[in-house]
Amino acid sequence: MSGYSVVPFVIAYAREEVRDRLVFEPHAGSDRGLRLAYEIPRKGDRVGGVLRARVRDLRRRVGKRGPERMRMLNTRRQWLCMDRLLCQVCSRPATEPGTGRSWWILVPPVFEVDDSGRGGRTNAPPTCRACVDIALSECPMLRADATVCTVGRVEPAGVLADMYEPGPVPTLTAHNVYVSWDAFARHPHILATSQVVQLHDVRELVRTG
Ligand SMILES: [Zn+2]
């Protein structure tokens, strides 16, 4: 995606990464009596009971943010885009006022089609209509294998997360695992890095490649 003339809103910058220490803390609500936490807790660490990866937001601080990391998403900006259906490139609304439908560029493997064939799950936020054209013309990967769609309904599905096991220090056991919002037994062991939504009423407009 290095062909973008503008760095997309969701893309992470090198100095936004936060590596604060993780611990397992006593927690009555979890099956083994422990849950993952930051050693020094902060308000906003948890979303829906799930620990969310801390990141800085240095997008507007050009001198401080470091180089962009083109395949990495900034967790907070990704989350915001999904919550409000904002364009992942320009951060403006990706929903058309007239129709209420949002625009998406769906690229495997970030998009997983469900059994019905008319919807699926993704952690890549929507792309507004104006940015769809720019993205397709500037990004070779999108040109190779992408579907442009409008979507009638979007609902929260879960998160992509790193999985940890308790020990003297929390041990990372798996990376980028999908965990649904109702898989409560797994929640105490995960660090969420992006939000996954379920798309319903998907209308395909363009298939490239
Ligand atoms: Zn846009």
Side-chain angles (χ1 to χ4, degrees):
M1 295 170 84
S2 58
Y4 275 117
S5 52
V6 175
V7 176
F9 177 73
V10 284
I11 294 298
Y13 294 91
R15 294 203 191 113
E16 291 183 323
E17 189 179 4
V18 172
R19 289 180 166 272
D20 291 345
R21 241 175 92 153
L22 294 164
V23 294
F24 272 92
E25 65 177 17
H27 183 64
S30 59
D31 57 348
R32 289 152 74 183
L34 293 170
R35 72 173 179 183
L36 192 66
Y38 280 105
E39 185 177 33
I40 301 165
R42 245 189 247 159
K43 198 174 162 230
D45 277 347
R46 284 178 201 282
V47 181
V50 165
L51 190 66
R52 179 169 62 180
R54 287 178 182 168
V55 290
R56 296 185 188 89
D57 186 2
L58 300 176
R59 185 174 158 77
R60 291 170 186 279
R61 303 178 68 179
V62 176
K64 295 210 166 186
R65 66 193 187 187
E68 65 265 25
R69 304 177 68 197
M70 289 308 287
R71 274 180 290 276
M72 301 287 290
L73 306 181
N74 176 289
T75 297
R76 294 300 282 257
R77 292 197 293 272
Q78 189 272 351
W79 219 279
L80 179 72
C81 283
M82 288 304 204
D83 280 348
R84 301 189 189 170
L85 295 183
L86 303 180
C87 173
Q88 62 168 309
V89 181
C90 72
S91 79
R92 295 191 186 97
T95 304
E96 290 196 312
T99 62
R101 299 181 68 82
S102 50
W103 283 69
W104 298 71
I105 299 174
L106 304 178
V107 185
V110 291
F111 181 69
E112 193 179 311
V113 179
D114 64 19
D115 294 341
S116 73
R118 298 196 52 221
R121 293 194 308 246
T122 183
N123 77 320
T127 305
C128 77
R129 190 172 188 167
C131 287
V132 163
D133 287 341
I134 299 168
L136 288 175
S137 69
E138 294 193 5
C139 180
M141 195 178 80
L142 289 182
R143 276 206 304 273
D145 189 8
T147 307
V148 176
C149 297
T150 67
V151 172
R153 192 162 62 83
V154 181
E155 67 177 1
V159 296
L160 287 186
D162 293 340
M163 311 281 302
Y164 285 85
E165 275 297 310
V169 291
T171 307
L172 179 67
T173 56
H175 186 58
N176 258 358
V177 177
Y178 172 67
V179 179
S180 72
W181 283 118
D182 56 13
F184 299 112
R186 305 179 84 184
H187 291 180
H189 293 245
I190 66 174
L191 179 68
T193 51
S194 66
Q195 182 178 182
V196 176
V197 297
Q198 175 82 34
L199 307 181
H200 300 278
D201 182 15
V202 175
R203 288 183 203 155
E204 206 172 290
L205 301 174
V206 183
R207 188 188 283 274
T208 63

